Amino acid sequence: MSVKKQPVTASDVAKLAGVSQSTVSRVFIDGSSVSAAAREKVFAAAKELNYRPNAFARSLTTNESKLIGLVFPDSDYPIHMETLQLLSKELQKNGYSAVLIPWELDAQQQHSIPNIFQYRVDGVMAASAQFNTALYEECQDFNIPIVQFARVEEGTSCSSAISDNYSAGKLAARTLVERGAKKLAYLTGDIPSYTNNERLEGFTEELTDLTGSAPREINTSYVYEQALEGIRAVLAADDRPDAFFCSTDILAIALMDVAKNEFGLSIPEDFQVLGFDDIPQASWLGYQLSTFKQDFNRLAKEAVKQLLKQVQTDDQTMVKLMIPVELVERGTLRSK
Amino acid sequence: MSVKKQPVTASDVAKLAGVSQSTVSRVFIDGSSVSAAAREKVFAAAKELNYRPNAFARSLTTNESKLIGLVFPDSDYPIHMETLQLLSKELQKNGYSAVLIPWELDAQQQHSIPNIFQYRVDGVMAASAQFNTALYEECQDFNIPIVQFARVEEGTSCSSAISDNYSAGKLAARTLVERGAKKLAYLTGDIPSYTNNERLEGFTEELTDLTGSAPREINTSYVYEQALEGIRAVLAADDRPDAFFCSTDILAIALMDVAKNEFGLSIPEDFQVLGFDDIPQASWLGYQLSTFKQDFNRLAKEAVKQLLKQVQTDDQTMVKLMIPVELVERGTLRSK
DNA sequence: CTGAAAGCGCTTACAG
DNA sequence: CTGAAAGCGCTTACAG
């Protein structure tokens, strides 16, 4: 074992400061009654000894760890890194730290999820696209609040902070119709999700209201390479849509890539495209994709706020926070 | 405060199993001597009560937390998410968990780094592009091993696992010259880094050996949007290079984007391009970028292995692990 | 192999 | 405001 420097404890500080250990402890607890004089002496001693309260010892008595388990996004989808930053910083701001819970566990490893609970996280933020049932049940068992970030798993009861996908869908329909689209399609991946359904529902309802007919729904894969084939089929057919609302920017980009590179088509002349997410690539020179931007900053703030509320109070009311989405116009829509 | 269920402790399990609390404890420690009979009884009781050893209590006595602080990548660079997954899973595999240390802290927040040390992480993995001096000093003070992932900060003494940038640079020069390039350039960003220097050095040395002259060095920004202007200037000038070795794929893509979209140039006809990283976009239809692929899987494995070695033994020898890089040929190089 | 007991570094009533 | 003491849930010599 490594020769770890003997850590300095509250008692060491107490000795140097000439006060009791209890007093040292109080100095580091907000709202404790300590005289200014004692406080000074303790701070001085603590600084000299480079003292840090031991969070483990603390949580042993307080029964709260100030640790939040973070189930983080699985794919390398371009915005996830930012999301993680936001979430982590927001937690930090509130005095909490994030412990990573790797989402991908095979059957044999399933038992390692419980391991995370050896650390007694106060709450769990689920930001992964996959939803881990074992994790969910474990949280239920231990009465640990869990909130879902930018996702909703149906059939579970946890709070969530998500973008207003339904309204985005409606706005997409309205916008595309306004710009003269006649044959609209909704291009999406292969994994069903609540957020995707909401978006499709909004899109369909609004379009039906406006034109009397529903959009064509095209299912392919969320993975660029695997989406290509399906897209080729759609573009090659006679009934090619003249407007696509894509459920991710990656899909929109895959669509544009095959349209331009393999079919010699122009956008928005041959068809209009609307994406979703506003990933960095959406603004690249070759794409200039019009898309919906999710307010991840606000999503993170709200999600953390809600989680901490559930952690710190008895109020376990499940709430679904809806954050508006913004249409970012670039070059893949016709002008009005 | 929330009504947290009273957690079940080793004593509860002991009572139910009809053994002492010490025995329960031993059952959950690998290598302790416990009779098979006792072990069975304890497991049964633990299962029934849904018992999880409290890691905080444990680390209070063992003086090790099995927690690794993870300073994670700052940008939304497309491969970082994968890296995080790999690192986190590798740690998990070894019985450790990762606590996030947000890298971006303004002056006022600098004190929040020390806070992370209230959790007594056993080691720190620095995977961020930025290097936080406060963190580094804190680690030194507390004698906490730190290893750098895919980066090296000069003037500090910590181990690191990085790609063999020097050899990649040499191979880039050799390859480009082989393919007939005469006017070679090295296109890079604005933030100097050890890894970038190594790559440039390899590139320069090999090129000088081969042709007698050094490459032209072009500095712009690592951010797509901000790189555009500099690239335009280079492409507009008379002395346009006929081959670019780019220090990131993002730069290579920005270069190709302006070349095609604004100058009507073709690649590799008008010039050849070699990237670095092999981000997902490199294989997109519109790019087909030839590039160097870093072996992040191996980097993660080695980095974790090294960190845990330093955590668990007295051997604090600083090592710099060099992982080979692979050239992925796609469409931006001429044929031999 | 196993139990009783001390101790890890804190917080928190309880007295004063 | 402050100190002495109990207690949080474990691990680990120490005896047996």
Side-chain angles (χ1 to χ4, degrees), chain B residues 122-303:
Chain B
D122 292 336
V124 167
M125 179 73 74
S128 167
Q130 322 268 115
F131 191 78
N132 193 308
T133 316
L135 213 212
Y136 175 69
E137 283 164 7
E138 197 78 4
C139 284
Q140 300 281 75
D141 280 356
F142 287 90
N143 213 342
I144 295 172
I146 159 169
V147 352
Q148 301 185 77
F149 180 82
R151 72 178 316 289
V152 168
E153 183 74 20
E154 294 185 87
T156 65
S157 61
C158 13
S159 297
S160 53
I162 51 174
S163 288
D164 186 352
N165 287 279
Y166 180 78
S167 300
K170 295 191 86 148
L171 180 54
R174 218 175 312 132
T175 306
L176 257 9
V177 168
E178 245 175 46
R179 309 299 172 93
K182 302 288 183 207
K183 296 165 66 179
L184 313 229
Y186 183 71
L187 178 63
T188 187
D190 42 359
I191 308 159
S193 74
Y194 176 85
T195 51
N196 188 57
N197 288 347
E198 289 286 284
R199 209 151 45 207
L200 176 54
E201 201 174 310
F203 191 56
T204 304
E205 284 186 16
E206 185 73 7
L207 190 60
T208 310
D209 276 3
L210 256 28
T211 69
S213 56
R216 171 170 166 198
E217 192 186 334
I218 305 172
N219 284 281
T220 173
S221 161
Y222 279 120
V223 179
Y224 180 93
E225 280 77 14
Q226 290 157 33
L228 265 20
E229 209 42 63
I231 290 170
R232 286 186 186 112
V234 172
L235 293 185
D238 295 334
D239 58 347
R240 190 203 319 136
D242 64 358
F244 291 86
F245 177 32
C246 307
S247 74
T248 69
D249 282 354
I250 293 284
L251 278 174
I253 284 175
L255 172 66
M256 295 166 76
D257 274 351
V258 341
K260 292 186 192 171
N261 293 295
E262 302 183 0
F263 288 81
L265 263 19
S266 307
I267 296 156
E269 291 74 16
D270 292 306
F271 59 80
Q272 305 187 69
V273 182
L274 208 42
F276 198 88
D277 282 338
D278 198 25
I279 62 177
Q281 289 76 22
S283 62
W284 284 5
L285 255 37
Y287 299 117
Q288 291 298 319
L289 177 64
S290 296
T291 187
F292 288 95
K293 187 188 185 69
Q294 303 194 59
D295 191 344
F296 281 107
N297 196 18
R298 183 141 168 238
L299 279 168
K301 273 204 171 56
E302 297 289 349

Side-chain angles (χ1 to χ4, degrees), chain A residues 10 21 25 58 61:
Chain A
Q21 184 263 310
S25 178
R58 165 177 296 163
T61 45

Side-chain angles (χ1 to χ4, degrees), chain A residues 128-142:
Chain A
S128 167
Q130 322 267 114
F131 191 78
N132 194 309
T133 317
L135 213 212
Y136 175 69
E137 282 163 7
E138 196 78 6
C139 283
Q140 300 283 75
D141 280 354
F142 288 90

Side-chain angles (χ1 to χ4, degrees), chain B residues 23-78:
Chain B
T23 299
V24 174
S25 177
R26 287 193 187 94
V27 167
F28 291 94
I29 297 173
D30 283 339
S32 291
S33 52
V34 192
S35 68
R39 193 178 297 271
E40 286 317 304
K41 284 189 292 184
V42 169
F43 273 144
K47 181 150 197 182
E48 184 173 340
L49 298 177
N50 206 11
Y51 169 68
R52 303 272 179 277
N54 184 322
F56 298 149
R58 166 176 295 162
S59 77
L60 210 50
T61 46
T62 60
N63 204 23
E64 55 172 22
S65 63
K66 300 280 183 184
L67 247 26
I68 297 293
L70 187 55
V71 190
F72 64 116
D74 25 337
S75 72
D76 49 5
Y77 204 72

Side-chain angles (χ1 to χ4, degrees), chain A residues 163 276-278 291-296 324-328:
Chain A
S163 288
F276 198 88
D277 283 338
D278 197 26
T291 188
F292 288 96
K293 186 189 185 68
Q294 302 194 59
D295 190 346
F296 280 107
V325 124
E326 177 200 353
L327 177 57
V328 180

